[in-house]
Amino acid sequence: MTAGSIPSDNPTPPRGERADIAEVLAEAIFSGDYAIGETIPREVDLCARFGVSRSTVRSALQKLVNVGLLVRVSGQGTRVCELATWHLLDPQVSAWMARYAQPNPRLQREVFAFRLAVEPFVAGLAARHATAADLLAIETAYEGMINALTQPDLRWQGRSHDDYDVAFHEAIFAASHNLIWAQISHVLKPAIALIVERSNSRATTHGAVISGDTAESTATPGPVTHSAPQLDDSMARHFRMMEAIRLRQPETAAEAALSVLERTGRDLGMEDLTRQPFSIVLSHDTLATTRHPGDLP
């Protein structure tokens, strides 16, 4: 897209309604209409496009500058920043990513690497600290996953299998009873949901059905059909994780979490990240990580 052009699939809102300029531009950036390093339309063009004042446009642009998506260069206009500068932990950026992002191999890899490094550790914490209410939340999400898989559209009581899958992992973060981990799970929820959705789409494209972190092969495309042995295997990974937390077995919970993620890595084509993951060392009083050669920095 050339400087000054504006995506045609973002029509001018009806008279009396004002478009959220930051939202429209964020959608264009995350969907790839504006590539990294590309100049977005000039302020005067945005003013004409949206029928607003220059101060309104500048305020919208500043929102995107503040979260690292745009940089304003004197005499050169406003450009899309490198991915490394995007504030992906900002709740608004994370939400935009979940709504609008097109498949980005690097971004998917970074989010999955984060999950691989963190979730086994958090599962161990949950095994130590989960309350009865926490266990109920985990079990409810697990049962939702199971029930959704029995439905042709993979939905149960108004929620998709992917929704229950994300809720399962979010409940485990909450069960750690660590304020930082719990807050991180809320912030990263859209990003993790994006990985679940992408892995689902990828597996379906390759002739398999994957629901979140679980997968099973199908012989032919079309309506979802489930192979009992494969379904048992994939859901058993989540069940073992849930049971280890319920039984207060931190090491087993960490290992089970890694097993769940190994399946995800296979579906995303990122097996290399799971071959030498972080080892979780659980003592009576502390949880620590031990690294092996070749681990991510």
Side-chain angles (χ1 to χ4, degrees), residues 49-69:
R49 159 71 175 79
F50 293 103
V52 296
S53 67
R54 180 162 286 192
S55 63
T56 298
V57 167
R58 287 177 176 171
S59 177
L61 293 177
Q62 191 60 44
K63 289 181 181 179
L64 300 182
V65 170
N66 290 343
V67 295
L69 296 183

Side-chain angles (χ1 to χ4, degrees), residues 97-204:
M97 179 170 60
R99 286 200 294 271
Y100 305 129
Q102 294 299 311
N104 182 315
R106 179 186 173 189
L107 190 55
Q108 291 182 41
R109 189 175 178 86
E110 297 284 355
V111 173
F112 180 66
F114 170 85
R115 293 185 62 191
L116 186 64
V118 167
E119 289 192 24
F121 179 83
V122 172
L125 285 176
R128 292 197 181 281
H129 303 300
T131 65
D134 295 325
L135 295 175
L136 178 60
I138 296 170
E139 291 170 4
T140 298
Y142 177 80
E143 290 173 1
M145 293 166 66
I146 291 290
N147 289 328
L149 285 175
T150 67
Q151 306 302 310
D153 61 353
L154 299 179
R155 298 185 67 83
W156 176 258
Q157 295 185 343
R159 302 178 69 188
S160 71
H161 181 278
D162 291 348
D163 292 336
Y164 287 114
D165 195 340
V166 173
F168 179 88
H169 294 284
E170 188 176 26
I172 290 173
F173 271 84
S176 72
H177 285 274
N178 178 285
L179 293 177
I180 304 304
W181 289 126
Q183 289 299 311
I184 285 177
S185 77
H186 293 320
V187 171
L188 282 178
K189 182 178 178 179
I192 293 174
L194 181 64
I195 284 292
V196 169
E197 179 185 350
R198 294 292 183 247
S199 60
N200 189 355
S201 299
R202 180 183 178 91
T204 301

Side-chain angles (χ1 to χ4, degrees), residues 4-289:
S5 63
I6 300 172
S8 60
D9 57 350
N10 290 306
T12 301
R15 184 181 299 274
E17 293 184 20
R18 176 170 293 182
D20 185 330
I21 301 172
E23 184 86 13
V24 172
L25 292 175
E27 179 178 2
I29 292 169
F30 275 99
S31 64
D33 289 328
Y34 299 132
I36 288 174
E38 188 174 355
T39 302
I40 69 167
R42 300 174 303 167
E43 287 183 5
V44 64
D45 296 322
L46 292 172
C47 289
R49 159 71 175 79
F50 293 103
V52 296
S53 67
R54 180 162 286 192
S55 63
T56 298
V57 167
R58 287 177 176 171
S59 177
L61 293 177
Q62 191 60 44
K63 289 181 181 179
L64 300 182
V65 170
N66 290 343
V67 295
L69 296 183
L70 295 178
V71 60
R72 310 188 77 173
V73 182
S74 179
Q76 299 182 29
T78 304
R79 298 180 180 276
V80 179
C81 292
E82 293 292 329
L83 181 62
T85 73
W86 296 9
H87 300 181
L88 298 176
L89 295 184
D90 184 282
Q92 180 64 80
V93 176
S94 189
W96 282 334
M97 179 170 60
R99 286 200 294 271
Y100 305 129
Q102 294 299 311
N104 182 315
R106 179 186 173 189
L107 190 55
Q108 291 182 41
R109 189 175 178 86
E110 297 284 355
V111 173
F112 180 66
F114 170 85
R115 293 185 62 191
L116 186 64
V118 167
E119 289 192 24
F121 179 83
V122 172
L125 285 176
R128 292 197 181 281
H129 303 300
T131 65
D134 295 325
L135 295 175
L136 178 60
I138 296 170
E139 291 170 4
T140 298
Y142 177 80
E143 290 173 1
M145 293 166 66
I146 291 290
N147 289 328
L149 285 175
T150 67
Q151 306 302 310
D153 61 353
L154 299 179
R155 298 185 67 83
W156 176 258
Q157 295 185 343
R159 302 178 69 188
S160 71
H161 181 278
D162 291 348
D163 292 336
Y164 287 114
D165 195 340
V166 173
F168 179 88
H169 294 284
E170 188 176 26
I172 290 173
F173 271 84
S176 72
H177 285 274
N178 178 285
L179 293 177
I180 304 304
W181 289 126
Q183 289 299 311
I184 285 177
S185 77
H186 293 320
V187 171
L188 282 178
K189 182 178 178 179
I192 293 174
L194 181 64
I195 284 292
V196 169
E197 179 185 350
R198 294 292 183 247
S199 60
N200 189 355
S201 299
R202 180 183 178 91
T204 301
T205 299
H206 289 80
V209 174
I210 172 176
S211 301
D213 298 312
T214 62
E216 59 172 355
S217 298
T218 55
T220 59
V224 175
T225 58
H226 300 301
S227 162
Q230 291 168 333
L231 180 57
D232 288 346
D233 172 68
S234 61
M235 293 308 300
R237 295 171 187 253
H238 284 79
F239 181 79
R240 285 195 297 271
M241 187 176 175
M242 178 176 66
E243 280 295 281
I245 293 171
R246 184 180 67 83
L247 295 173
R248 308 292 186 194
Q249 299 172 341
E251 291 184 16
T252 303
E255 292 168 359
L258 182 57
S259 175
V260 168
L261 291 168
E262 284 173 344
R263 188 89 186 221
T264 303
R266 187 189 315 164
D267 296 322
L268 291 172
M270 299 181 189
E271 298 95 329
D272 60 307
L273 292 182
T274 67
R275 292 189 185 116
Q276 289 186 309
F278 288 86
S279 294
I280 307 300
V281 181
L282 307 178
S283 66
H284 181 71
D285 297 316
T286 62
L287 292 169
T289 57

